[in-house]
Every structure is written in C-alpha cells, then in structure tokens.
C-alpha cells in the first residue's frame, strides 16, 4: 500500500507544501519527499526563474516550510512509522 501524507506550510501558501510517500510492499528503505515548484506561470516567467536559479541570484522558489505543531506531530508520526517498519521497531 502506498501511503501519502501532504503537509502544508503555516503561511498557507500552496507553493510551500510537500508530500511524504512510503510503500508497504516495496522492499526499499527509502522514503520519498516530494517538493514541487509551481508550474502555472507563463513560459517566459519560468525561463526567467530558471536563469535566476542558474546564476544563483534567487532562491525564492526553494524556500522554507513552516510546520505548525499539528503538522510537525503528523510528520514525526509519519517518519516514526516508516522507521519502525523498516528498522523492525527498534525504539524502546
Ligand atoms: Zn510558507
């Protein structure tokens, strides 16, 4: 079973979200975190963002995500569940 948890930034900007994804069936000790850039800008703006990114003048597209306590707790539970399943429940 694939489990996906979506986390939203406390600033409520939809660009500042990420998804944590794990699979029960896959024998893989990797957890995926999806961070996406907006792609709904016109092409010329995306080219401009790319140029600024290449020259390191703007990092606004990769910015901070602020998690409130509820989301932080949910993230901790998601990571703990993943580690428990993959590491054989080694806590305690
Ligand atoms: Zn934010």
């Amino acid at each position: 079973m694939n489990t996906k948890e979506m986390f939203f930034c406390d600033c409520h900007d939809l660009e500042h979200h990420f998804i944590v994804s794990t699979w029960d069936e896959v024998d893989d000790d990797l957890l995926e975190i999806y961070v996406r850039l907006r792609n709904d800008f016109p092409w010329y703006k995306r080219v401009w963002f790319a140029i600024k990114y290449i020259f390191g003048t703007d990092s606004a597209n990769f910015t901070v995500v602020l998690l409130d306590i509820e989301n932080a707790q949910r993230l901790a539970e998601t990571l703990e569940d993943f580690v428990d399943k993959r590491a054989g429940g080694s806590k305690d």
Side-chain angles (χ1 to χ4, degrees):
M1 183 173 90
N2 177 240
T3 304
K4 290 183 178 178
E5 287 282 334
M6 184 176 281
F7 296 89
F8 295 96
C9 186
D10 199 44
C11 77
H12 305 291
D13 187 330
L14 292 177
E15 292 180 40
H16 302 169
H17 76 280
F18 63 94
I19 298 169
V20 177
S21 181
T22 60
W23 289 265
D24 287 343
E25 296 86 12
V26 178
D27 188 23
D28 191 349
D29 289 342
L30 299 176
L31 173 130
E32 291 185 355
I33 298 177
Y34 293 91
V35 180
R36 293 189 163 204
L37 296 177
R38 285 183 66 176
N39 63 0
D40 58 336
F41 290 113
W43 69 267
Y44 52 88
K45 279 195 173 186
R46 285 182 275 158
V47 169
W48 180 242
F49 292 152
I51 291 169
K52 291 195 306 185
Y53 176 75
I54 288 169
F55 290 102
T57 61
D58 185 11
S59 62
N61 287 319
F62 293 100
T63 187
V64 66
V65 176
L66 304 169
L67 295 180
D68 62 12
I69 189 65
E70 181 181 317
N71 278 292
Q73 194 164 19
R74 204 160 51 86
L75 176 61
E77 289 168 3
T78 300
L79 295 176
E80 197 172 283
D81 184 55
F82 173 76
V83 170
D84 283 349
K85 286 179 182 172
R86 295 302 196 246
S90 61
K91 83 173 191 185
D92 292 342

